[in-house]
Amino acid sequence: MMTLRENAMAIYNHQQPDYYFDLMDAIQLVPDPVLMAGMFPQDGKEYKDPWGTAYIYKPGAPGPHPHVTAENAVIKDIEHWKDSVVVPPTRGLDWSAAKKAADETDRKEKFVGVLFGGGLFERSHHLMGMENALCSYLEYPEEMAELLPSTSPRPILLWLSQSENSTK
């Protein structure tokens, strides 16, 4: 019988698995300090993440949701986004819990992954609101093209650079 990892690899490689299943079962997610910095109490109050975006995590909601208004938007003018966006630092974060969880994972049984809940598009509309982001993609494509790389999935790049220096 195949392990979860072997079964997932068979599916990924267009081979016959022993069975079909939720592929997430084959991944051991490890705690990500960047993601955890943006988690808030589920109390319905407004909190700001490290980017300065306001979020509300209502009781019973599946997760925190951005609460961007004209008053609290990080980017109020896309032509001057560099004056208002402060990219949170990733250096110096404590990855020891993630490393411990990864080290404790049997790599023959499971993959190790980091949950990264937002991409470039999500971060762009979290910084300026959905309507302003969509309009900016159409009306200011150069500015948006310049903004997006600064909001890239830095935790993944940081994780990869750290794992290259590890003994595994």
Side-chain angles (χ1 to χ4, degrees):
M1 175 147 250
M2 292 180 175
T3 66
L4 287 171
R5 182 186 175 113
E6 291 167 340
N7 212 59
M9 287 305 299
I11 294 168
Y12 292 141
N13 291 321
H14 306 284
Q15 299 168 348
Q16 182 61 48
D18 283 348
Y19 56 92
Y20 291 93
F21 65 107
D22 182 348
L23 293 175
M24 289 302 293
D25 291 341
I27 302 171
Q28 176 63 49
L29 294 175
V30 298
D32 170 2
V34 176
L35 177 67
M36 298 314 293
M39 294 305 293
F40 312 107
Q42 198 169 2
D43 60 9
K45 295 179 183 174
E46 186 176 290
Y47 296 90
K48 289 198 175 187
D49 75 355
W51 291 84
T53 298
Y55 286 84
I56 295 176
Y57 195 174
K58 293 183 178 177
H65 293 276
H67 182 248
V68 183
T69 66
E71 294 76 33
N72 72 9
V74 174
I75 299 174
K76 293 179 176 37
D77 180 350
I78 188 60
E79 293 181 293
H80 300 285
W81 71 267
K82 289 181 185 177
D83 298 332
S84 54
V85 174
V86 177
V87 178
T90 53
R91 298 222 183 270
L93 292 174
D94 182 7
W95 286 85
S96 60
K99 182 169 181 2
K100 182 177 185 290
D103 289 346
E104 292 173 353
T105 301
D106 183 350
R107 303 293 177 96
K108 292 179 183 172
E109 292 287 328
K110 289 191 168 194
F111 299 100
V112 171
V114 174
L115 178 63
F116 188 75
L120 303 176
F121 175 72
E122 288 80 8
R123 179 54 58 193
S124 71
H125 74 76
H126 291 188
L127 290 170
M128 65 181 84
M130 181 65 80
E131 183 178 348
N132 287 337
L134 293 174
C135 289
S136 292
Y137 280 109
L138 293 172
E139 298 171 357
Y140 300 95
E142 295 84 16
E143 287 82 355
M144 293 302 284
E146 196 176 6
L147 167 67
L148 292 180
S150 72
T151 67
S152 69
R154 298 171 341 277
I156 295 168
L157 301 175
L158 179 63
W159 178 273
L160 292 173
S161 70
Q162 288 184 351
S163 62
E164 289 172 5
N165 298 327
S166 72
T167 58
K168 286 212 167 218

